Structures are given as structure tokens and as C-alpha cells.
Amino acid sequence: MTSPQQPQPQPAPGAQPMPPAVPASAPAAGPMPPAVPPQPAPAQPAPAEDAGTMILQAQPPAPAPPAPAKEAGTMMLQAQPPAGGHPEPTPLSAHGPGKEAGTMLLAAAAQPPAPPHPGPAPQHASVPQQQAPAPAPAANWQAATPGYVSPIPVRPTHLGHALAAEWTKIRSVRSTVWTLGVMTVLVLGIGVLVAASVASMSTVGDTSPLFFGLFGMLLGVLCVLPLGVLVTSSEYGTGMIRTTLAACPNRGRVLAAKALVFFALTFVVTTVVTGLVALTDNAMIGGISRVDVGAGEWLRSTVGIGLYVSFLGLLALAVGSLIRHSAGAITLMVGVVLLPFVLSMFMFADSLEGIRNFLMGYSIPNQLTVMYGNKFPFVDGGPSGWQPLWIVMGLAAVALGAAYAAMRQRDV
């Protein structure tokens, strides 16, 4: 009598289709890799209603490293459990119960087979590797890449590049605007005020009408000196001098660019301002002066004063490069301008008369007076004509040479 066939369980949703049943008596196509039994205890197989058919269902265990099987005919078959069931691994043996008819239906799971037993890797024929070509030398990188054109233009540097850099620096800082702006206000304002007060007098005698621009320029010089110092000392104070010298290692070129840019800017501003003051003074005081102003006096009171003040600023620039400290260099330059004249005023002894005349005659205020065509009445000796300009030019040249030597030996 044949028992009714038990319905087979349907696979869970999302699981892959089960492969067809394999007869237990069929010979294996090849050696099957052994599987490792999982840690949970094996569940008992459900009793089969059909003597020749048994459905085993098991949950695929967690992947584990392969190990040799203890029995040659034992294998672990894992099947997807029916919906709602609890998976349990079921070890099966070729000689287990339920083999009366010699047929067993095994439901394989969608779980991929266990990794094969590790063994010696197959030997493949070795393929000779081609050695990578050696990189081209740095000097011949363009020859190694024919047709390559760099988008960055490469050209040798020159003094014009340094001049452009220094011009960008000096016009982009506020100290330039403040110092030259204050100088312009002082020279123009004081010059016009003095001319207006002197114009009310009946006569000025043999004094040149251009001489009265001196009073504003004495204060204007004190504005140019700090700017000359800050051109170099500010970079030493902030550490920007390292970037400047890295971009232009030629110390002479750096110092020359700073000096030329500062000199040109100061000379233009000073000459324009002194020219305006000279025109104003001559218009307001020329009628009460017995001096007929010639071309030489005009040139010395405008262009000469511009050159003198600019070279005095170069002296301050060199001192700032030597000292590398803004406050110290400015204090030293103010002392150079005012200290000799102030000291000479306190030398009353007759034995100090020679020192007094030398200090007063070669002081900066007296040299400016000479450039304006006059001289202090209580000064005996000293330069005359264009001599003050040659003196300050020589001092500036010596100081710039010392600054260049210091930059070569010290700023490396």
C-alpha cells in the first residue's frame, strides 16, 4: 500500500530556487569538499511518510574555516527552512536511516558551497615582466616629452622686476601716504602762512623771497626721514625680508630697487611742493624784496631742495637697513638732523668757538638755508652754493655701501 505523498515545503520569499534532488546511491562526480559541522547540536530529521523520500531542511551555518571530515561519507547539506521555522543544521550520513528504497530527496539551500580545502596553488608558467623605463634626466625633461609647452613663461629676472615689486610695496602701505601727506601739508601750509605774515611788512631788504620756504621744509624733513627708515626696517621687523630675499637672492638688486623707488617718489613730491611754495612766496613777497631772483636761485630752491631731501631720505634708508630697528633708526636720524645745531647753541666758551662754528655750519638746518640762497648770520664758515648737496650725496653713498656689505655678510 502506497502512503500519500507529503507536500514539499515552499522556499522562503527571496531565496534562490532549490536544485533538483540527488539520489543518494548515485556516484559522486568528483571529490566533494568536506564541510565543518556547526557548533549547535544537530536536529533530528523529520519522519518521512514515504519510505523512499525524506526532506531535510536546515539553516545555512555561519561561514567557518574548512576542516577535515571525520567520516568519508558524511556531508552537511543545508536547506532553507520553511517560513516560520527555526533553522538547524542537520548532518547526514550515507548510511543513515531512511535508505530502504535507496532514494533520498535532499533540498539544497541557496547558500554557496563551502570554500574548497586549501591545497597547493597550481603552478603557472612564469611570464617575464617588462622593466619600466628609467625616468629621463631633469635636464632633458622637455626632450623626454616632445611637444610639451609650459603654460608658465620662463624668463630671466632683472632689475625691472625688483623695481615693480618695491613700487607695489611702497604705494600699498599707509605709512607712505601719511608721511608724504603730512610733509605736503606742513610745507605748503607753513610756507603760505609765513609769506602772508611777511607780506604786511614794508620791505625784507636783501633777503630772497624764496628763502621763506625754509620754515616749512625744516618740519617736512622730519616726515621724510621716518619713511626712508620704514622702507627697509619694516621688512626686518615683520620677517618679510626673508620672502623678498628668497624671491630675489641678489642683495645688491634688492637694495638698489628700494633706493631707486624711494628716491624717485620723494624727489617728485618734494620738488612739486617746493615749486608751489616758491611760486606763492615770490608772488606775495617779491615786490618788497630788493633781490632779483634768477634761474640759479629758482633751480636751487626747487630741484636742489628736492634732491637734498631725497638723498637725506636715502641716508635714513641705509641706516634703517644697518640697524634693522624702526624706532632706533628714526631716533638716530632725528639726532643727526637736530643734535649738532642744538649742541652748538650751548657752546658759549671762547675755547669752543671753532667746534661751535663747525657744528652749526655743517648742521642740516644751516645746509638747507644755504640751498635757499642765504646763511645764518651768526654762522662763520660752512658750505655755500651747491656744496650741501654734494655733502649729503657722499654721506648717502657711504651709508648705502655699508648697508650692502651688511646684507651680503649678515642676511644670508
Side-chain angles (χ1 to χ4, degrees), residues 270-411:
T270 307
T271 303
V272 171
V273 173
T274 54
L276 294 175
V277 173
L279 291 173
T280 304
D281 290 350
N282 187 62
M284 299 177 66
I285 309 174
I288 60 175
S289 176
R290 295 194 296 265
V291 177
D292 188 12
V293 181
E297 286 78 7
W298 278 99
L299 186 63
R300 192 166 58 242
S301 299
T302 55
V303 178
I305 290 297
L307 290 173
Y308 185 88
V309 174
S310 300
F311 277 107
L312 196 61
L314 284 183
L315 178 62
L317 184 148
V319 171
S321 181
L322 287 170
I323 297 180
R324 299 186 298 176
H325 192 273
S326 300
I330 293 173
T331 304
L332 179 59
M333 288 306 303
V334 171
V336 169
V337 171
L338 299 178
L339 188 60
F341 185 80
V342 173
L343 287 178
S344 64
M345 296 178 62
F346 293 95
M347 296 180 179
F348 303 108
D350 295 337
S351 59
L352 300 176
E353 183 178 0
I355 300 177
R356 181 178 67 248
N357 290 332
F358 177 82
L359 292 177
M360 189 170 291
Y362 287 92
S363 63
I364 302 300
N366 186 65
Q367 292 186 32
L368 281 173
T369 305
V370 172
M371 292 295 297
Y372 273 103
N374 285 66
K375 187 168 60 174
F376 289 152
F378 47 84
V379 175
D380 186 11
S384 61
W386 291 87
Q387 291 181 1
L389 180 59
W390 316 140
I391 293 173
V392 73
M393 287 177 62
L395 291 176
V398 172
L400 287 173
Y404 172 68
M407 290 184 68
R408 284 181 57 88
Q409 298 295 329
R410 178 190 60 196
D411 302 333

Side-chain angles (χ1 to χ4, degrees), residues 25-409:
S25 61
M32 299 182 63
V36 180
Q39 294 298 332
Q44 298 295 331
E49 296 182 5
D50 194 351
T53 305
M54 179 175 61
I55 301 175
L56 301 179
Q57 303 170 352
Q59 175 71 18
K70 295 182 179 179
E71 187 176 355
T74 304
M75 65 179 175
M76 177 65 65
L77 300 178
Q78 302 168 350
Q80 183 71 17
H86 298 283
E88 288 186 359
T90 304
L92 297 179
S93 175
H95 306 283
K99 301 302 180 189
E100 294 82 359
T103 304
M104 179 177 60
L105 183 63
L106 301 178
Q111 181 73 16
H117 187 72
Q123 299 293 331
H124 298 282
S126 59
V127 178
Q129 298 182 356
Q130 296 182 356
Q131 187 177 2
N140 298 331
W141 65 273
Q142 289 184 344
T145 56
Y148 174 78
V149 178
S150 174
I152 303 175
V154 179
R155 56 177 180 265
T157 58
H158 49 77
L159 182 60
H161 297 144
L163 290 174
E166 295 302 329
W167 170 245
T168 302
K169 293 177 188 177
I170 199 170
R171 69 180 175 85
S172 60
V173 295
R174 289 177 289 180
S175 59
T176 304
V177 179
W178 278 104
T179 53
L180 295 182
V182 171
M183 184 201 74
T184 302
V185 171
L186 289 176
V187 175
L188 283 176
I190 296 177
V192 172
L193 290 175
V194 171
S197 61
V198 173
S200 60
M201 301 173 58
S202 59
T203 181
V204 292
D206 295 333
T207 304
S208 171
L210 306 182
F211 170 77
F212 296 97
L214 167 70
F215 301 99
M217 185 53 64
L218 286 175
L219 296 178
V221 168
L222 299 179
C223 299
V224 175
L225 298 179
L227 179 60
V229 170
L230 291 174
V231 168
T232 53
S233 63
S234 61
E235 292 197 33
Y236 284 101
T238 59
M240 188 65 183
I241 192 65
R242 299 187 183 94
T243 305
T244 301
L245 296 180
C248 182
N250 192 331
R251 271 55 172 169
R253 183 182 299 173
V254 171
L255 186 61
K258 291 180 179 295
L260 289 175
V261 170
F262 168 77
F263 180 85
L265 179 62
T266 308
F267 173 73
V268 170
V269 174
T270 307
T271 303
V272 171
V273 173
T274 54
L276 294 175
V277 173
L279 291 173
T280 304
D281 290 350
N282 187 62
M284 299 177 66
I285 309 174
I288 60 175
S289 176
R290 295 194 296 265
V291 177
D292 188 12
V293 181
E297 286 78 7
W298 278 99
L299 186 63
R300 192 166 58 242
S301 299
T302 55
V303 178
I305 290 297
L307 290 173
Y308 185 88
V309 174
S310 300
F311 277 107
L312 196 61
L314 284 183
L315 178 62
L317 184 148
V319 171
S321 181
L322 287 170
I323 297 180
R324 299 186 298 176
H325 192 273
S326 300
I330 293 173
T331 304
L332 179 59
M333 288 306 303
V334 171
V336 169
V337 171
L338 299 178
L339 188 60
F341 185 80
V342 173
L343 287 178
S344 64
M345 296 178 62
F346 293 95
M347 296 180 179
F348 303 108
D350 295 337
S351 59
L352 300 176
E353 183 178 0
I355 300 177
R356 181 178 67 248
N357 290 332
F358 177 82
L359 292 177
M360 189 170 291
Y362 287 92
S363 63
I364 302 300
N366 186 65
Q367 292 186 32
L368 281 173
T369 305
V370 172
M371 292 295 297
Y372 273 103
N374 285 66
K375 187 168 60 174
F376 289 152
F378 47 84
V379 175
D380 186 11
S384 61
W386 291 87
Q387 291 181 1
L389 180 59
W390 316 140
I391 293 173
V392 73
M393 287 177 62
L395 291 176
V398 172
L400 287 173
Y404 172 68
M407 290 184 68
R408 284 181 57 88
Q409 298 295 329

